[in-house]
């Protein structure tokens, strides 16, 4: 099974990919995770990507195409894979097509911008232990303080409202046209985001005929 997960930033692609890869027994490839690891390790790719990521912009296509082609050539991808956060532009989709990769399905997680803004603006993380909270959905017992370790709760740099807005604009302009691209190839399966994570997973599996 070769699967693409499409959707706005904050739509829950990463969360769903982690759940689906366990059920489908194939790896998830996330360019966002690969880039964050490269940034942490201070590699040339990481250094190149940092300014784009911090500003909520897309990393240039040639960098992404290089990363993804190398990763998909690895042994663990032979039986299939789930792509999370890639392709994000028509050029990236064409590069995958030109590389001869035949996808089985492209699932698009549908969620409104308003809901994304609410979700992302309320997210807080502990700067000491990394635990995740949400001001409305998962509030800490004491405002601004981590329940687990007493650390300070902060907002992630790319969750700041102006950065989320920029990421949503980029999504609509650069990534959303991929829906038409894959619909024309008969691969697009839109799935409505559900209130519970597990319900969205079920809806995706149903759309895949599982
Ligand atoms: P993500 O974790 O998928 O939300 O990605 C975080 C950031 O990494 C994005 O805002 C982009 O700056 C960059 N990025 C990840 N994947 C891609 C991609 N396929 N094309 C361009 N930029 C990407």
């Amino acid at each position: 099974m070769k699967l693409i997960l499409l959707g706005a930033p904050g739509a829950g692609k990463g969360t769903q990919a982690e759940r689906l890869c366990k059920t489908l027994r194939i790896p998830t490839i996330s360019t966002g995770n690969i880039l964050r690891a490269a940034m942490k390790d201070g590699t040339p790719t990481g250094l190149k990507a940092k300014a784009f990521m911090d500003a909520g912009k897309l990393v240039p296509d040639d960098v992404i195409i290089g990363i993804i082609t190398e990763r998909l050539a690895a042994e663990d991808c032979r039986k299939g894979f789930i792509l999370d956060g890639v392709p994000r532009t028509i050029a990236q989709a064409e590069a995958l097509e030109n590389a001869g990769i035949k996808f089985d399905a492209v699932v698009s997680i549908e969620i409104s911008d308003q809901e994304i803004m609410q979700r992302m603006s309320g997210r807080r993380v502990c700067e000491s232990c990394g635990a995740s909270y949400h001001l409305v959905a998962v509030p800490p017992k004491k405002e601004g303080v981590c329940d687990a370790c007493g650390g300070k709760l902060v907002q992630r740099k790319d969750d700041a409202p102006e950065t989320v807005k920029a990421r949503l604009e980029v999504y609509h302009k650069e990534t959303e046209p991929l829906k038409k691209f894959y619909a024309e190839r008969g691969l697009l399966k839109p799935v409505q985001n559900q209130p519970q994570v597990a319900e969205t997973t079920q809806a995706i599996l149903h759309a895949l005929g599982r």
Side-chain angles (χ1 to χ4, degrees):
M1 164 82 74
K2 297 190 177 99
L3 185 66
I4 294 174
L5 284 186
L6 279 183
K13 296 186 296 294
T15 306
Q16 291 303 329
E18 286 313 317
R19 296 171 61 87
L20 291 167
C21 72
K22 289 193 188 113
T23 308
L24 302 173
R25 294 167 189 268
I26 45 178
T28 290
I29 316 296
S30 152
T31 38
N33 286 350
I34 294 173
L35 290 168
R36 275 185 288 274
M39 256 164 60
K40 204 166 159 219
D41 294 345
T43 68
T45 303
L47 293 174
K48 209 166 162 185
K50 188 177 184 325
F52 294 99
M53 292 176 75
D54 284 350
K57 293 185 179 157
L58 291 186
V59 172
D61 284 331
D62 58 334
V63 177
I64 299 293
I65 291 166
I67 290 176
I68 194 72
T69 332
E70 189 185 319
R71 181 63 188 86
L72 294 182
E75 179 67 26
D76 64 335
C77 290
R78 278 183 51 189
K79 281 196 200 142
F81 43 79
I82 302 171
L83 297 189
D84 159 21
V86 66
R88 253 179 162 101
T89 62
I90 296 282
Q92 292 175 21
E94 284 174 346
L96 293 171
E97 199 167 73
N98 293 338
I101 300 167
K102 299 239 180 300
F103 290 98
D104 297 282
V106 177
V107 169
S108 167
I109 304 178
E110 303 292 330
I111 176 170
S112 71
D113 284 9
Q114 200 190 350
E115 204 168 332
I116 300 271
M117 291 300 293
Q118 274 168 4
R119 262 195 202 181
M120 309 278 260
S121 66
R123 179 157 67 172
R124 294 292 182 274
V125 293
C126 172
E127 64 177 5
S128 308
C129 74
S132 195
Y133 296 86
H134 190 279
L135 296 184
V136 182
V138 194
K141 291 198 181 88
K142 189 170 171 217
E143 199 184 316
V145 180
C146 177
D147 292 349
C149 77
K152 189 177 164 200
L153 299 185
V154 296
Q155 188 168 40
R156 258 173 54 172
K157 205 169 178 179
D158 60 351
D159 278 353
E162 52 286 8
T163 314
V164 175
K165 258 194 199 137
R167 292 167 71 194
L168 280 170
E169 270 170 32
V170 169
Y171 169 74
H172 291 303
K173 187 162 169 271
E174 307 279 349
T175 308
E176 219 168 9
L178 288 176
K179 288 201 230 169
K180 183 166 175 273
F181 181 94
Y182 287 116
E184 283 168 2
R185 286 153 178 77
L187 295 176
L188 189 73
K189 298 188 186 299
V191 169
Q192 209 59 43
N193 175 66
Q194 302 296 319
Q196 300 290 329
V197 169
E199 291 168 355
T200 305
T201 311
Q202 277 310 315
I204 293 173
L205 289 170
H206 181 74
L208 296 174
R210 300 269 167 159

